[in-house]
Amino acid sequence: MELLGPREIAAFALSLLDLTNLRDDCDASAIETLCKRAQGPNGNAAAICIWPRFVAQARGILGTSNPVRIATVVNFPSGNLPVSEVVEETRKAIADGADEIDLVIPYAKFLAGDEASVSEMVRAVRAACPNSCLKVILETGEIKDAALIRRASELAIAEGADFIKTSTGKVQVNATLEAADIMLQAIRDSRKKVGFKPAGGISTVADADLYLRLAETIMGANWLMPSTFRFGASGLLDDISAVLSGSTSARASTGY
């Protein structure tokens, strides 16, 4: 990372991007636009991340051999649905063509001391999508406490998460470098192949660079790749495109 300039960092960040539209007013037209933007002149995003109701449409647009993957969310954003409903959400999303599932843990129950609810939820969804990438959203901005963020990370990893993810992008505090540091250390200490996804509020290449450097410091050189690191963002692509075109951009950091 030391020798990379802004353009190289921007191109690298693009390859790690889960281009996201989880807006409440998202519609079919917005999904068409998102799929097009994920396959731009500067290269492809790693994935799009969308509401479950749009997965079948996105699969129809992208086809079955497109390198851009389709991620969707379950138990989102509240984290308080019954396990049976979340399992059904997951199975339908996979049937509709989703490649990746981003699951919100029952963080309110976890904060009340119910660790078992986290383990049960992750275990059940893991079983419902055994061949799909499972990203587990901790909602670190609500958990807040460093020891609890660490513990939630450990629980998710123990039950088979492929990634642990900071945030839904739907609360006041989303991705932070402090939470990222805790989560990356939990991944390192687990000695398992688990990825990390900061999400929400990352809107510039400069922001992205900070997370990339932190991850490399903790996980070592050559760890950063789409199978182990993603950015969850909607606005980041604008700044990536601006940097790659030689102009500048400074979007405000608000949610996704």
Side-chain angles (χ1 to χ4, degrees), residues 46-239:
I48 58 170
C49 187
I50 56 178
W51 292 105
R53 62 183 178 272
F54 297 116
V55 168
Q57 178 196 354
R59 178 54 67 203
I61 294 169
L62 293 175
T64 57
S65 58
N66 199 299
V68 177
R69 297 169 68 81
I70 298 174
T72 194
V73 291
V74 298
N75 205 24
F76 187 95
S78 66
N80 62 11
L81 293 177
V83 171
S84 59
E85 287 187 28
V86 182
V87 166
E88 183 55 34
E89 273 189 320
T90 301
R91 288 175 174 158
K92 185 177 188 309
I94 297 299
D96 284 347
D99 300 299
E100 304 179 354
I101 299 293
D102 288 28
L103 162 72
V104 184
I105 65 167
Y107 59 87
K109 290 182 179 179
F110 175 69
L111 284 169
D114 185 0
E115 290 189 357
S117 67
V118 177
S119 299
E120 179 187 11
M121 180 68 75
V122 178
R123 187 184 312 127
V125 173
R126 173 77 285 171
C129 60
N131 300 314
S132 304
C133 179
L134 175 61
K135 309 191 202 89
V136 177
I137 305 171
L138 307 184
E139 200 68 293
T140 54
E142 294 294 290
I143 295 176
K144 298 182 177 70
D145 181 79
L148 290 177
I149 293 171
R150 170 74 185 215
R151 184 58 181 151
S153 300
E154 292 170 345
L155 292 170
I157 292 168
E159 295 300 339
D162 294 304
F163 277 73
I164 50 176
K165 174 178 171 181
T166 59
S167 321
T168 61
K170 297 290 189 180
V171 295
Q172 186 173 359
V173 177
N174 293 290
T176 65
L177 290 166
E178 292 78 11
D181 184 54
I182 297 162
M183 294 168 70
L184 285 162
Q185 288 188 54
I187 292 170
R188 179 196 63 196
D189 295 347
S190 75
R191 300 182 181 275
K192 294 183 177 181
K193 186 181 178 182
V194 177
F196 173 65
K197 179 178 173 179
I202 301 169
S203 59
T204 68
V205 172
D207 290 340
D209 189 32
L210 294 174
Y211 284 93
L212 293 173
R213 291 180 185 279
L214 175 64
E216 187 175 62
T217 298
I218 294 172
M219 300 304 297
N222 303 318
W223 184 79
L224 291 164
M225 60 187 74
S227 61
T228 51
F229 192 100
R230 302 283 183 86
F231 290 110
S234 60
L236 180 56
L237 181 59
D238 292 337
D239 200 60

Side-chain angles (χ1 to χ4, degrees), residues 14-71:
L14 175 58
S15 74
L16 305 173
L17 178 61
D18 283 5
L19 183 61
T20 301
N21 188 333
L22 294 170
R23 292 172 55 95
D24 293 337
D25 61 356
C26 184
D27 58 17
S29 176
I31 294 299
E32 289 184 23
T33 299
L34 193 76
C35 290
K36 290 176 183 176
R37 294 189 73 218
Q39 307 169 91
N42 296 310
N44 293 334
I48 58 170
C49 187
I50 56 178
W51 292 105
R53 62 183 178 272
F54 297 116
V55 168
Q57 178 196 354
R59 178 54 67 203
I61 294 169
L62 293 175
T64 57
S65 58
N66 199 299
V68 177
R69 297 169 68 81
I70 298 174

